[in-house]
Amino acid sequence: MGRLVQNHSTNIEGLIKWLKKIASIDEIKTVTPASLSKTNGRGEKLDIKVTVKTKEGYKLLARKGKLVQEVFLVTRLDESEIKRIIEKTNPKSYRKKKGS
């Protein structure tokens, strides 16, 4: 189980709960939410996407409404496995499966 670094007092609503689920995966060493900024987007649902491979893992972007926040993952997993983890831990998709 990895650790979730919380060094910002401001995060996108609902993001920390999702990141805790991602951090609970054995192969994830560290999850660090980083800079928060405004964008022109209008998506109302929280979404996380893999953007860039880094030396130690991946940079993700979390978006909701007009906010975007960088998230850094330290892991040895490849991009397709990260995408699978994001989909599996997504609170919205979990609710859909649970209700069916």
Side-chain angles (χ1 to χ4, degrees):
M1 180 172 161
R3 68 185 182 106
L4 175 61
V5 178
Q6 292 184 304
N7 53 4
H8 284 272
S9 59
T10 308
N11 294 290
I12 294 176
E13 182 185 341
L15 180 62
I16 295 301
K17 187 175 179 181
W18 192 351
L19 295 182
K20 283 181 182 177
K21 289 181 183 179
I22 292 173
S24 72
I25 305 295
D26 287 336
E27 296 84 5
I28 305 292
K29 292 188 170 114
T30 309
V31 180
T32 309
S35 64
L36 178 67
S37 56
K38 291 188 178 182
T39 185
N40 293 327
R42 298 185 74 144
E44 291 305 310
K45 291 189 292 184
L46 178 59
D47 187 34
I48 299 177
K49 292 190 176 160
V50 179
T51 58
V52 179
K53 179 151 179 49
T54 63
K55 277 194 234 178
E56 298 182 355
Y58 291 90
K59 175 179 149 184
L60 315 177
L61 282 183
R63 300 178 72 115
K64 183 175 183 181
K66 293 189 174 210
L67 296 174
V68 63
Q69 186 162 8
E70 295 176 328
V71 177
F72 292 94
L73 282 186
V74 176
T75 183
R76 291 186 179 170
L77 296 174
D78 65 29
E79 186 173 342
S80 64
E81 291 171 307
I82 300 297
K83 287 179 179 178
R84 215 170 307 126
I85 288 169
I86 290 169
E87 182 59 36
K88 186 175 114 181
T89 58
N90 185 334
K92 302 296 182 206
S93 64
Y94 175 74
R95 280 192 210 126
K96 287 178 194 169
K97 290 176 193 168
K98 191 176 177 182
S100 13

